[in-house]
Amino acid sequence: MTLAAATDLAAATNEHLASISNTLIYSSMAVYTLAFFAYIAEWLFGSRSKVARTAAALTADTKATRGPAVTVQQAGGTAVLERPKVVVRSAAGARDVPDGPGAHGGDEQGDLYGRIAVSLTVLAFLVELAGVVARAASVERAPWGNMYEFNITFSTVAVAVYLALLALRKNVRWMGLFLVTTVLLDLGLAVTVLYTASDQLVPALHSYWLYIHVSTAIFCGAVFYVGAVATILYLFKDSYENKLQTGGKPGSFATSVLERLPASASLDKFAYRVNAAVFPLWTFTIIAGAIWAGDAWGRYWNWDPKETWSFITWVAYACYLHARATAGWKGRKAAYLAMIAFGCWLFNYYGVNIFVTGKHSYAGV
């Protein structure tokens, strides 16, 4: 076989693998859609259950804080006057509220749909992972050379983190609907807006640091995303608990959804733990990127937009972790910082790559 014929055969093989990758990615989207409807069914059937655990706990807690009744003797009778109800907003995590039963709400049929949803999520994950591997084979390198490849890999890793937490028997199935919805949006954006045909890397990316730096960046982003979902739900659940504690009556939809989530203290603790656990790895990601920059461009730090926003993200998460460990900044204040930090990460992920010109301008879109 001549060299030209061998080259043509290799090109045809790579093109075929790229086609297989695209088919697998679309197939995973179809399975994720089925999982989405199964998660919806879990929440719908779960709404039939009368859980009311949070309301009962907060009501009992309020009664306990009233103190003993004031008894006044009156001419042959007894008049019992209750002390005025005093409501004091608890510090973050101080309320003794049990975790909700989960999206299924204790309903057997809802639980069945939830288990089906998880099974479909596992299947979709395996199909998407096969699509990422096929894309890597088609380009004969790690599939992280442009935004399309980064997106499909990021969503795969995010689902892997969720499934790993489930395998470790963590109470995170309530996250399934939010995760699958985001993954579908992410993949939809990837295949419609960010899609880039298979191509070789720009010269600056030809380095073993690609496997070290980019892989850790993707993993950190996936864990930060999980922490952000927990933080958003914490803010909603905390408002719900506060409203109940002060005698308010949330709407029926809010009650049906939020009643089944973990307590706000549990969500707050979960978000803090995942962000704190991955923060050292994000620090390593920035250091690895600086070393790679030194090899590729001769300078460890150039204040390139991507470098700058990576550092801004690091500072934002450092502020959050410091605030979360400080008594006066626990709870909602720290949660707002966490959302600002994740917003910085999102801008670094999408905004810098697409809208800002710099040395990292190889988004492929």
Side-chain angles (χ1 to χ4, degrees):
M1 180 181 294
T2 64
L3 179 60
T7 302
D8 291 341
L9 178 61
T13 302
N14 291 343
E15 184 177 350
H16 181 63
L17 288 171
S19 177
I20 292 175
S21 173
N22 294 341
T23 301
L24 289 170
I25 295 299
Y26 278 107
S27 299
S28 72
M29 292 177 67
V31 183
Y32 278 128
T33 302
L34 294 177
F36 170 80
F37 286 117
Y39 282 118
I40 288 289
E42 178 186 20
W43 280 92
L44 289 177
F45 281 99
S47 67
R48 304 184 306 177
S49 299
K50 303 298 182 182
V51 286
R53 300 176 63 183
T54 302
L58 289 173
T59 301
D61 181 66
T62 300
K63 290 179 179 178
T65 60
R66 292 182 184 179
V70 177
T71 304
V72 179
Q73 297 290 338
Q74 289 182 345
T78 300
V80 179
L81 304 177
E82 289 189 345
R83 289 180 177 176
K85 179 180 176 181
V86 179
V87 177
V88 180
R89 179 170 178 173
S90 302
R95 286 187 291 254
D96 186 16
V97 178
D99 289 340
H104 56 82
D107 181 88
E108 291 186 7
Q109 195 166 8
D111 181 60
L112 174 62
Y113 277 108
R115 287 185 277 115
I116 291 173
V118 172
S119 299
L120 289 170
T121 303
V122 172
L123 177 59
F125 163 74
L126 294 175
V127 174
E128 186 182 10
L129 178 61
V132 173
V133 172
R135 175 73 177 199
S138 72
V139 293
E140 300 178 355
R141 56 169 171 77
W144 309 321
N146 51 61
M147 281 293 290
Y148 169 74
E149 295 172 356
F150 199 95
N151 261 43
I152 62 175
T153 305
F154 169 76
S155 58
T156 304
V157 175
V159 176
V161 171
Y162 166 70
L163 295 177
L165 291 172
L166 285 178
L168 293 172
R169 300 187 180 278
K170 302 297 182 182
N171 177 23
V172 294
R173 202 168 86 184
W174 45 267
M175 189 182 292
L177 177 60
F178 307 99
L179 174 75
V180 168
T181 302
T182 308
V183 167
L184 282 171
L185 292 173
D186 181 75
L187 291 177
L189 180 65
V191 300
T192 56
V193 178
L194 302 176
Y195 180 77
T196 305
S198 300
D199 200 0
Q200 294 305 308
L201 295 172
V202 296
L205 293 181
H206 283 287
S207 172
Y208 61 88
W209 283 105
L210 172 69
Y211 298 90
I212 300 173
H213 172 65
V214 181
S215 62
T216 55
I218 292 173
F219 178 76
C220 289
V223 178
F224 283 147
Y225 162 77
V226 171
V229 172
T231 301
I232 292 172
L233 294 179
Y234 157 75
L235 291 171
F236 281 107
K237 188 63 182 278
D238 184 62
S239 296
Y240 171 73
E241 291 177 4
N242 286 334
K243 193 167 188 177
L244 285 176
Q245 194 173 30
T246 54
K249 186 176 181 180
S252 58
F253 177 77
T255 300
S256 175
V257 173
L258 297 175
E259 189 68 50
R260 288 174 274 169
L261 293 176
S264 62
S266 298
L267 291 169
D268 183 43
K269 184 185 298 182
F270 174 77
Y272 171 67
R273 285 179 174 177
V274 296
N275 286 327
V278 81
F279 181 73
L281 191 59
W282 181 249
T283 305
F284 170 77
T285 300
I286 296 176
I287 295 172
I291 296 173
W292 188 8
D295 289 344
W297 301 315
R299 290 183 62 185
Y300 292 106
W301 197 265
N302 297 287
W303 292 106
D304 182 72
K306 176 69 73 172
E307 296 171 347
T308 302
W309 275 96
S310 294
F311 179 68
I312 291 173
T313 303
W314 184 90
V315 171
Y317 273 107
C319 290
Y320 159 71
L321 294 176
H322 176 73
R324 183 61 178 75
T326 304
W329 276 82
K330 288 183 179 180
R332 298 185 69 87
K333 291 181 180 179
Y336 292 138
L337 280 178
M339 295 312 303
I340 291 172
F342 186 68
C344 292
W345 188 89
L346 278 180
F347 182 77
N348 191 33
Y349 178 24
Y350 287 108
V352 173
N353 280 2
I354 297 175
F355 302 112
V356 181
T357 301
K359 290 182 177 294
H360 290 78
S361 299
Y362 33 76
V365 294

